[in-house]
């Protein structure tokens, strides 16, 4: 198995610098990091990759059996870190990849130096005192809509996730990214993303962790960021002055500065 080909891995930036691995969220690929990479490359060795089924990954490696839970993606991340052999890395996970990072750290803590969770949500569904932002009916309707018309769903949902209605080009970019994904793969990944519940895994994280939330995020409200911060012992919480679920696009400078400050901190 060629991990580098499977996940279209690229390694750039400062040789000998701390290693930062950037992991994208649902419906995206490594291209969505492009606005923060130039800043990160000044300080770090930067690893970019595509989850199997996204971007330029080897789609033939995808199967519903392996990727019907987050575990398949977790194993890919572990294999990638082992293959690169760059020592303990800082894993930066956006959205669903934040929970992939949590699970990878819990399984193989020795591979990771630090963890950055960008707009994380361990569960999108409200449950008792926990506010995930959506009811079970909301999520069921969202997934039913995706099943019936994926392209139409993408055009409707992506701009809402992105926010920033005054900057429609951002919503258009996310819509186009969603639409490039194979609908069958997208359906499976959407269920994994929106139905997973990783709240109980947060307390098992044993490496220094930054929780970076967006100040205005319809998908992961600030109550979620506060919950993640409380559950991970010793974690730091930063609220980016950004709108939407993808601050690496809507507020790239602030996002990059938060990552740099955390990685370089003691």
């Amino acid at each position: 198995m060629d991990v580098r080909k499977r996940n279209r891995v690229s390694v750039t930036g400062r040789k000998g610098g701390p290693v930062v691995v950037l992991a994208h969220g649902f419906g995206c690929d490594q291209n969505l990091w492009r606005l923060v990479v130039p800043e990160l490359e000044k300080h770090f060795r930067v690893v970019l990759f595509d989850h199997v089924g996204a971007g330029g990954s080897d789609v033939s490696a995808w199967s519903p059996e392996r990727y019907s839970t987050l575990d398949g993606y977790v194993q890919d991340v572990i294999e990638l870190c082992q293959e690169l052999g760059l020592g303990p890395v800082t894993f930066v996970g956006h959205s669903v990849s934040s929970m992939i990072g949590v699970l990878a750290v819990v399984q193989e803590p020795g591979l990771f130096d630090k963890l950055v969770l960008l707009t994380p949500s361990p569960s999108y569904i409200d449950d008792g005192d926990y506010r995930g932002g959506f009811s079970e009916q909301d999520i069921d309707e969202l997934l039913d809509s995706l099943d019936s018309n994926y392209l139409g769903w993408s055009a409707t949902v992506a701009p809402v996730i992105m926010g920033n209605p005054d900057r429609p080009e951002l919503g258009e970019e996310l819509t186009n990214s969603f639409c490039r994904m194979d609908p069958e793969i997208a359906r499976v990944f959407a269920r994994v993303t929106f139905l997973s519940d990783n709240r109980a895994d947060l307390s098992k994280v044993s490496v220094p962790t930054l929780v970076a939330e967006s100040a205005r995020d319809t998908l992961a409200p600030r109550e979620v960021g506060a919950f993640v911060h409380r559950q991970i012992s010793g974690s730091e919480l930063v609220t980016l002055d950004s709108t939407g679920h993808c601050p690496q696009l809507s507020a790239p400078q602030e996002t990059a500065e938060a990552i740099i400050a955390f990685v370089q901190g003691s």
Side-chain angles (χ1 to χ4, degrees), residues 170-188:
L170 296 180
E172 290 170 9
E173 176 170 349
L174 192 61
T175 298
N176 292 336
S177 180
F178 279 18
C179 290
R180 286 194 295 271
M181 196 169 190
D182 179 277
E184 179 188 356
I185 295 174
R187 290 185 186 102
V188 175

mmCIF file of all heavy atoms in Angstrom, residues 170-188:
data_model
loop_
_atom_site.group_PDB
_atom_site.id
_atom_site.type_symbol
_atom_site.label_atom_id
_atom_site.label_comp_id
_atom_site.label_asym_id
_atom_site.label_seq_id
_atom_site.Cartn_x
_atom_site.Cartn_y
_atom_site.Cartn_z
ATOM 1 N N LEU A 170 -17.067 32.647 -1.168
ATOM 2 C CA LEU A 170 -16.661 31.598 -0.235
ATOM 3 C C LEU A 170 -17.663 30.450 -0.251
ATOM 4 O O LEU A 170 -17.286 29.269 -0.272
ATOM 5 C CB LEU A 170 -16.524 32.172 1.177
ATOM 6 C CG LEU A 170 -15.445 33.230 1.388
ATOM 7 C CD1 LEU A 170 -15.442 33.704 2.840
ATOM 8 C CD2 LEU A 170 -14.069 32.697 1.002
ATOM 9 N N GLY A 171 -18.949 30.787 -0.225
ATOM 10 C CA GLY A 171 -19.974 29.752 -0.295
ATOM 11 C C GLY A 171 -19.925 29.001 -1.607
ATOM 12 O O GLY A 171 -20.127 27.777 -1.657
ATOM 13 N N GLU A 172 -19.628 29.718 -2.693
ATOM 14 C CA GLU A 172 -19.527 29.072 -4.007
ATOM 15 C C GLU A 172 -18.359 28.089 -4.037
ATOM 16 O O GLU A 172 -18.461 27.002 -4.610
ATOM 17 C CB GLU A 172 -19.350 30.138 -5.094
ATOM 18 C CG GLU A 172 -20.594 30.977 -5.338
ATOM 19 C CD GLU A 172 -20.320 32.167 -6.234
ATOM 20 O OE1 GLU A 172 -19.206 32.243 -6.801
ATOM 21 O OE2 GLU A 172 -21.209 33.029 -6.371
ATOM 22 N N GLU A 173 -17.258 28.468 -3.394
ATOM 23 C CA GLU A 173 -16.106 27.562 -3.380
ATOM 24 C C GLU A 173 -16.435 26.274 -2.627
ATOM 25 O O GLU A 173 -16.099 25.173 -3.083
ATOM 26 C CB GLU A 173 -14.894 28.229 -2.734
ATOM 27 C CG GLU A 173 -13.717 27.270 -2.619
ATOM 28 C CD GLU A 173 -12.418 27.934 -2.214
ATOM 29 O OE1 GLU A 173 -12.345 29.170 -2.211
ATOM 30 O OE2 GLU A 173 -11.463 27.192 -1.907
ATOM 31 N N LEU A 174 -17.105 26.399 -1.485
ATOM 32 C CA LEU A 174 -17.451 25.206 -0.727
ATOM 33 C C LEU A 174 -18.479 24.364 -1.484
ATOM 34 O O LEU A 174 -18.395 23.129 -1.492
ATOM 35 C CB LEU A 174 -17.981 25.585 0.653
ATOM 36 C CG LEU A 174 -18.106 24.424 1.647
ATOM 37 C CD1 LEU A 174 -16.747 23.775 1.912
ATOM 38 C CD2 LEU A 174 -18.723 24.894 2.963
ATOM 39 N N THR A 175 -19.436 25.020 -2.131
ATOM 40 C CA THR A 175 -20.409 24.295 -2.943
ATOM 41 C C THR A 175 -19.710 23.487 -4.028
ATOM 42 O O THR A 175 -19.989 22.297 -4.225
ATOM 43 C CB THR A 175 -21.403 25.269 -3.602
ATOM 44 O OG1 THR A 175 -22.126 25.967 -2.593
ATOM 45 C CG2 THR A 175 -22.389 24.526 -4.496
ATOM 46 N N ASN A 176 -18.785 24.126 -4.729
ATOM 47 C CA ASN A 176 -18.062 23.425 -5.799
ATOM 48 C C ASN A 176 -17.233 22.279 -5.248
ATOM 49 O O ASN A 176 -17.118 21.223 -5.879
ATOM 50 C CB ASN A 176 -17.161 24.419 -6.549
ATOM 51 C CG ASN A 176 -17.958 25.439 -7.340
ATOM 52 O OD1 ASN A 176 -19.099 25.193 -7.712
ATOM 53 N ND2 ASN A 176 -17.368 26.593 -7.594
ATOM 54 N N SER A 177 -16.670 22.460 -4.058
ATOM 55 C CA SER A 177 -15.901 21.389 -3.435
ATOM 56 C C SER A 177 -16.796 20.204 -3.108
ATOM 57 O O SER A 177 -16.453 19.045 -3.380
ATOM 58 C CB SER A 177 -15.211 21.910 -2.167
ATOM 59 O OG SER A 177 -14.455 20.890 -1.543
ATOM 60 N N PHE A 178 -17.967 20.476 -2.538
ATOM 61 C CA PHE A 178 -18.935 19.412 -2.257
ATOM 62 C C PHE A 178 -19.308 18.669 -3.539
ATOM 63 O O PHE A 178 -19.375 17.441 -3.556
ATOM 64 C CB PHE A 178 -20.202 20.005 -1.638
ATOM 65 C CG PHE A 178 -20.106 20.289 -0.159
ATOM 66 C CD1 PHE A 178 -18.891 20.378 0.490
ATOM 67 C CD2 PHE A 178 -21.252 20.492 0.588
ATOM 68 C CE1 PHE A 178 -18.805 20.638 1.850
ATOM 69 C CE2 PHE A 178 -21.193 20.757 1.949
ATOM 70 C CZ PHE A 178 -19.962 20.839 2.580
ATOM 71 N N CYS A 179 -19.548 19.439 -4.590
ATOM 72 C CA CYS A 179 -20.058 18.840 -5.829
ATOM 73 C C CYS A 179 -19.019 17.980 -6.541
ATOM 74 O O CYS A 179 -19.377 17.145 -7.371
ATOM 75 C CB CYS A 179 -20.562 19.930 -6.766
ATOM 76 S SG CYS A 179 -22.080 20.751 -6.196
ATOM 77 N N ARG A 180 -17.756 18.190 -6.225
ATOM 78 C CA ARG A 180 -16.709 17.359 -6.837
ATOM 79 C C ARG A 180 -16.629 15.977 -6.206
ATOM 80 O O ARG A 180 -15.996 15.070 -6.754
ATOM 81 C CB ARG A 180 -15.345 18.052 -6.725
ATOM 82 C CG ARG A 180 -15.148 19.222 -7.673
ATOM 83 C CD ARG A 180 -13.692 19.644 -7.747
ATOM 84 N NE ARG A 180 -13.185 20.160 -6.486
ATOM 85 C CZ ARG A 180 -13.249 21.443 -6.119
ATOM 86 N NH1 ARG A 180 -13.826 22.337 -6.900
ATOM 87 N NH2 ARG A 180 -12.748 21.830 -4.956
ATOM 88 N N MET A 181 -17.251 15.802 -5.067
ATOM 89 C CA MET A 181 -17.170 14.520 -4.365
ATOM 90 C C MET A 181 -18.175 13.536 -4.952
ATOM 91 O O MET A 181 -19.305 13.898 -5.299
ATOM 92 C CB MET A 181 -17.451 14.733 -2.879
ATOM 93 C CG MET A 181 -17.024 13.587 -1.984
ATOM 94 S SD MET A 181 -17.100 14.043 -0.229
ATOM 95 C CE MET A 181 -16.277 12.626 0.495
ATOM 96 N N ASP A 182 -17.777 12.295 -5.080
ATOM 97 C CA ASP A 182 -18.684 11.254 -5.563
ATOM 98 C C ASP A 182 -19.885 11.157 -4.628
ATOM 99 O O ASP A 182 -19.716 11.020 -3.415
ATOM 100 C CB ASP A 182 -17.945 9.912 -5.600
ATOM 101 C CG ASP A 182 -18.823 8.777 -6.073
ATOM 102 O OD1 ASP A 182 -19.574 8.229 -5.234
ATOM 103 O OD2 ASP A 182 -18.768 8.453 -7.266
ATOM 104 N N PRO A 183 -21.110 11.232 -5.162
ATOM 105 C CA PRO A 183 -22.293 11.243 -4.298
ATOM 106 C C PRO A 183 -22.403 10.037 -3.367
ATOM 107 O O PRO A 183 -22.837 10.174 -2.224
ATOM 108 C CB PRO A 183 -23.455 11.297 -5.280
ATOM 109 C CG PRO A 183 -22.892 11.957 -6.493
ATOM 110 C CD PRO A 183 -21.467 11.473 -6.573
ATOM 111 N N GLU A 184 -22.001 8.855 -3.838
ATOM 112 C CA GLU A 184 -22.085 7.670 -2.978
ATOM 113 C C GLU A 184 -21.147 7.815 -1.779
ATOM 114 O O GLU A 184 -21.526 7.541 -0.632
ATOM 115 C CB GLU A 184 -21.721 6.405 -3.760
ATOM 116 C CG GLU A 184 -21.765 5.147 -2.895
ATOM 117 C CD GLU A 184 -21.229 3.914 -3.591
ATOM 118 O OE1 GLU A 184 -20.873 3.997 -4.785
ATOM 119 O OE2 GLU A 184 -21.141 2.856 -2.927
ATOM 120 N N ILE A 185 -19.921 8.256 -2.041
ATOM 121 C CA ILE A 185 -18.959 8.459 -0.957
ATOM 122 C C ILE A 185 -19.437 9.564 -0.025
ATOM 123 O O ILE A 185 -19.341 9.450 1.202
ATOM 124 C CB ILE A 185 -17.572 8.786 -1.537
ATOM 125 C CG1 ILE A 185 -17.034 7.579 -2.313
ATOM 126 C CG2 ILE A 185 -16.604 9.197 -0.438
ATOM 127 C CD1 ILE A 185 -15.733 7.838 -3.055
ATOM 128 N N ALA A 186 -19.989 10.616 -0.616
ATOM 129 C CA ALA A 186 -20.479 11.736 0.194
ATOM 130 C C ALA A 186 -21.602 11.297 1.125
ATOM 131 O O ALA A 186 -21.666 11.739 2.284
ATOM 132 C CB ALA A 186 -20.953 12.864 -0.716
ATOM 133 N N ARG A 187 -22.483 10.443 0.660
ATOM 134 C CA ARG A 187 -23.598 9.980 1.497
ATOM 135 C C ARG A 187 -23.072 9.221 2.720
ATOM 136 O O ARG A 187 -23.552 9.413 3.841
ATOM 137 C CB ARG A 187 -24.535 9.086 0.684
ATOM 138 C CG ARG A 187 -25.338 9.828 -0.372
ATOM 139 C CD ARG A 187 -26.332 8.910 -1.075
ATOM 140 N NE ARG A 187 -26.991 9.606 -2.169
ATOM 141 C CZ ARG A 187 -26.670 9.441 -3.452
ATOM 142 N NH1 ARG A 187 -25.726 8.578 -3.796
ATOM 143 N NH2 ARG A 187 -27.303 10.114 -4.390
ATOM 144 N N VAL A 188 -22.097 8.352 2.496
ATOM 145 C CA VAL A 188 -21.541 7.579 3.605
ATOM 146 C C VAL A 188 -20.791 8.491 4.566
ATOM 147 O O VAL A 188 -20.963 8.406 5.790
ATOM 148 C CB VAL A 188 -20.616 6.466 3.068
ATOM 149 C CG1 VAL A 188 -19.937 5.723 4.222
ATOM 150 C CG2 VAL A 188 -21.407 5.480 2.205
#
